[in-house]
């Protein structure tokens, strides 16, 4: 797909980007190279290739699921204006 100068300016307008003529020319070259790369990728035969969630076969290391802090609810609720059964009471806002 061949891009023209007007295409870049229209895309910039739709994206609410302010481009001057020099920037539009530079983006025209960049976008042209990107579209060429996409065309080359689309030409590849991908039959029989399973889709990947991630290119590397790795798992995320997770920390142990254990309690590391003491329960401080009583200390925090001592300074609250109104508490009942461990819950903060607030004024009703929606009728």
């Amino acid at each position: 797909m061949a891009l023209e100068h007007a295409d870049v300016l229209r895309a910039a307008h739709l994206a609410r980007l302010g481009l001057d003529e020099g920037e539009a020319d530079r983006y025209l070259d960049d976008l042209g190279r990107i579209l060429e790369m996409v065309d080359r990728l689309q030409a590849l035969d991908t039959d029989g290739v399973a889709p990947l969630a991630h290119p590397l076969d790795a798992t995320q290391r997770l920390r142990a699921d254990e309690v590391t802090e003491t329960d401080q609810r009583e200390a925090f609720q001592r300074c609250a204006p109104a508490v009942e059964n461990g819950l903060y009471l607030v004024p009703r806002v929606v009728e």
Side-chain angles (χ1 to χ4, degrees):
M1 174 179 181
L3 282 179
E4 296 180 4
H5 190 78
D7 296 328
V8 174
L9 292 176
R10 175 149 169 73
H13 172 72
L14 292 173
R16 304 295 190 254
L17 299 173
L19 293 181
D20 61 23
E21 296 297 320
E23 289 175 323
D25 289 334
R26 190 182 68 203
Y27 285 119
L28 180 63
D29 294 337
D30 290 344
L31 290 172
R33 285 195 305 272
I34 291 170
L35 291 176
E36 285 175 21
M37 181 184 68
V38 169
D39 287 339
R40 282 187 282 154
L41 289 174
Q42 286 180 340
L44 294 175
D45 180 24
T46 57
D47 290 337
V49 177
L52 298 173
H54 195 278
L56 301 176
D57 188 24
T59 57
Q60 180 69 32
R61 292 184 304 157
L62 302 175
R63 64 176 171 80
D65 189 16
E66 58 189 35
V67 177
T68 58
E69 296 180 4
T70 59
D71 181 16
Q72 299 180 25
R73 182 174 66 179
E74 296 297 326
F76 292 140
Q77 289 186 345
R78 247 184 262 131
C79 62
V83 177
E84 183 179 303
N85 296 327
L87 303 174
Y88 294 97
L89 299 177
V90 296
R92 185 179 186 120
V93 213
V94 179
E95 296 291 328

